[in-house]
Amino acid sequence: MKTLLQGGEIVSGAGVSKADVLLENGVIVQTGPDLSAQGARVVDCTGRLLFPGFIDGHTHFDLEVGGTITADDFRTGGRAALRGGTTTVIDFAAPDKGETLFHGLRRWQEKAAGAVCDYGFHMTVDDWNETIFQELGEMPAQGITSFKMYMTYPAMMLPEGDMYRALLRLKEIGGIAGVHCENSGLIDALVSDAKAAGRLSPASHPRTRPAPLEAEAVGHLLRLAQVAGVPVIVVHLSARESLEEVRAARKRGQTVFVETCPQYLLLEDSVYDAPDYLEAAKFVCAPPIRKKEDQDALWEALKNGEIQTVATDHCSFTLAQKRAGRYDFTKIPGGLPGVEHRGLLLYTYGVTKGRISAADMCRVLSENPARLYGCWPQKGVITPGSDADIVVFDPNAEGCITAADQVQNVDYSPYEGFRTKGCIEQVYLRGTLAVDHGQVLETTGQFIHRGAPMI
Ligand code: MN
């Protein structure tokens, strides 16, 4: 079936231009002014912006962590993603401790069997041995070209020498690593001091993971990457001081990619001082929410191109799950929901406030993640031959975010009460109408076999 999106304005990283878009058999077949309908179903897109389907390069669906499991799986999380204009998520496959990478990949393929949006996986490397060394060489043939490593959480960290060897191996196979940067040792010491002093409320969470300990780890990673001679991705960068480390590395000639998340652009650390336990606990994530000066620095860095992608790190837990840390903040399952509202938040608080342009928004939500994660131009652009993943965005609508109106499987929103400008009117996933005026329709997600990062 053919669909003609008529009279809208196509957004790309280069700007906005008025053009019709013809979709057929799941792909975009033609773009241009005044296309003839040719028997297609015609959708009037006058006054609408047409974005390439957003890509969320950082989600955690169906993840077991700390004795519980995230509230969203590939079905509920995928429905929320689609409703927010995200047509592709890149989640994280992780082997169980001592298991092979293929074991992790199989497990995640099973979890994603009911996915409703398109998906790929980063592969977590949290162990280092001959088997994993060999298996990394087989990952690109499986469509896995990006990997995750940790500089915090002792159970998941590689010793530095192994991390260095893993970075070298990724270079050989044409892969890239995204790294969680926080200094583990000092965080452990601060947590232990807080506990000894009886400071067990969520207010201790940001105080035990201060910004300099993120910046230290970013700097540390970038020095390892310098010696290894590899590009790296700093994921969920939250602090102004971390940006300084990135700038220093780039000045040395290194290639560094940076991801940030809406929670670091829009929320302030005073959220942890709420007197009600759950009000504070619901914001616990790592790195923690930072300060106004960090937000300002991140927006500036988005505008000037120092930050390449905005992903969500969607890792949702219900309030009942968040209660687990009632008497000890270290037992609060860490993570925020976000996959449903990223586009709307970025448009409202970025584009309409003049902090970024619609083209910038397209770059950080669609174009850059598609390139970095090796699925360009199948994804991330509205051009003939690309998948017909399209967000029809009405820039004039107004609304308000509330948990009562969301499909993600969680009973709160970190952005409760946030006014929004614009609305995601329709979403097409490979040419199939997936969302119509807020209603999520039935779709089937496909695994995206990704190629080498375009660096
Ligand atoms: Mn994460």
Side-chain angles (χ1 to χ4, degrees):
M1 194 184 77
K2 292 186 198 177
T3 305
L4 181 66
L5 305 179
Q6 197 171 58
E9 296 187 78
I10 297 179
V11 186
S12 77
V16 179
S17 65
K18 199 166 183 312
D20 299 340
V21 184
L22 185 66
L23 322 178
E24 188 177 13
N25 297 328
V27 297
I28 296 160
V29 291
Q30 206 181 349
T31 64
D34 305 318
L35 298 184
S36 81
Q38 303 170 40
R41 186 172 68 90
V42 176
V43 180
D44 181 9
C45 293
T46 308
R48 307 301 192 255
L49 296 171
L50 306 178
F51 285 94
F54 305 139
I55 297 166
D56 193 334
H58 195 149
T59 63
H60 299 282
F61 295 158
D62 205 359
L63 175 68
E64 304 96 341
V65 58
T68 188
I69 186 160
T70 53
D72 280 296
D73 60 17
F74 280 84
R75 178 172 174 79
T76 65
R79 284 170 53 83
L82 288 169
R83 197 165 187 246
T86 295
T87 47
T88 302
V89 299
I90 309 177
D91 207 89
F92 294 82
D96 292 330
K97 205 70 189 169
E99 291 286 353
T100 64
L101 300 185
F102 274 98
H103 162 91
L105 183 55
R106 269 194 305 275
R107 281 200 62 212
W108 254 265
Q109 288 287 19
E110 283 163 20
K111 287 169 188 269
V116 297
C117 69
D118 285 355
Y119 61 95
F121 303 114
H122 311 286
M123 176 58 68
T124 301
V125 179
D126 60 2
D127 214 346
W128 190 245
N129 54 48
E130 183 57 28
T131 305
I132 288 175
F133 176 90
Q134 293 299 343
E135 282 188 300
L136 282 175
E138 301 176 54
M139 287 294 119
Q142 302 294 321
I144 310 287
T145 51
S146 51
F147 300 83
K148 174 79 176 284
M149 292 199 275
Y150 292 86
M151 299 185 85
T152 191
Y153 306 132
M156 311 189 70
M157 291 162 59
L158 293 183
E160 281 177 330
D162 290 346
M163 191 165 176
Y164 168 74
R165 289 190 180 87
L167 290 173
L168 287 180
R169 179 62 172 153
L170 293 185
K171 181 162 114 178
E172 273 174 13
I173 67 157
I176 192 166
V179 182
H180 180 140
C181 297
E182 284 185 292
N183 177 300
S184 180
L186 253 66
I187 288 172
D188 288 350
L190 294 179
V191 165
S192 146
D193 288 355
K195 283 185 166 185
R199 295 192 302 268
L200 295 168
S201 79
S204 288
H205 177 70
R207 290 168 176 83
T208 55
R209 311 184 84 92
L213 295 188
E214 178 186 303
E216 188 281 332
V218 170
H220 197 134
L221 167 73
L222 296 179
R223 286 299 187 177
L224 294 186
Q226 181 187 17
V227 177
V230 300
V232 284
I233 307 166
V234 177
V235 297
H236 51 49
L237 182 141
S238 70
R240 179 185 57 76
E241 288 162 289
S242 303
L243 281 171
E244 290 170 11
E245 298 293 330
V246 172
R247 285 183 193 123
R250 287 180 176 152
K251 218 169 161 183
R252 297 192 290 267
Q254 291 181 246
T255 301
V256 184
F257 298 95
V258 177
E259 167 198 279
T260 191
C261 312
Q263 55 269 35
Y264 305 121
L265 291 163
L266 296 171
L267 302 173
E268 283 182 51
D269 62 356
S270 56
V271 295
Y272 297 115
D273 295 324
D276 178 74
Y277 164 76
L278 276 179
E279 270 308 309
K282 67 190 186 185
F283 293 100
V284 165
C285 58
I289 309 295
R290 305 291 187 192
K291 299 186 183 303
K292 178 74 167 62
E293 65 179 58
D294 296 293
Q295 287 179 26
D296 293 343
L298 295 176
W299 279 113
E300 190 60 35
L302 267 187
K303 189 178 184 65
N304 66 26
E306 290 179 292
I307 294 178
Q308 283 68 48
T309 69
V310 176
T312 61
D313 200 3
H314 180 96
C315 189
S316 55
F317 296 101
T318 63
L319 293 175
Q321 289 175 296
K322 288 278 185 182
R323 290 191 72 83
R326 188 81 189 81
Y327 304 107
D328 176 356
F329 71 97
T330 63
K331 297 200 162 53
I332 302 169
L336 302 188
V339 77
E340 192 164 340
H341 297 118
R342 179 181 57 143
L344 204 48
L345 286 168
L346 221 58
Y347 188 81
T348 304
Y349 295 93
V351 178
T352 74
K353 303 272 187 205
R355 287 158 154 165
I356 58 171
S357 66
D360 294 331
M361 175 169 152
C362 178
R363 263 200 298 279
V364 299
L365 296 189
S366 304
E367 242 185 56
N368 291 345
R371 288 174 178 275
L372 181 57
Y373 295 123
C375 52
W376 172 280
Q378 181 187 355
K379 305 290 188 188
V381 59
I382 297 178
T383 198
S386 295
D387 282 357
D389 298 343
I390 294 174
V391 179
V392 179
F393 191 86
D394 175 0
N396 294 314
E398 290 185 14
C400 181
I401 293 177
T402 174
D405 170 47
Q406 66 184 11
V407 303
Q408 50 196 6
N409 187 34
V410 59
D411 50 356
Y412 78 96
S413 166
Y415 311 103
E416 184 73 32
F418 275 47
R419 308 291 313 176
T420 54
K421 184 90 173 133
C423 95
I424 289 164
E425 200 168 74
Q426 287 193 325
V427 178
Y428 292 84
L429 173 66
R430 282 175 283 101
T432 300
L433 185 61
V435 178
D436 194 13
H437 293 85
Q439 196 195 345
V440 185
L441 307 171
E442 282 302 319
T443 49
T444 304
Q446 279 184 0
F447 175 71
I448 301 303
H449 191 284
R450 297 179 294 112
M454 294 178 67
I455 293 170

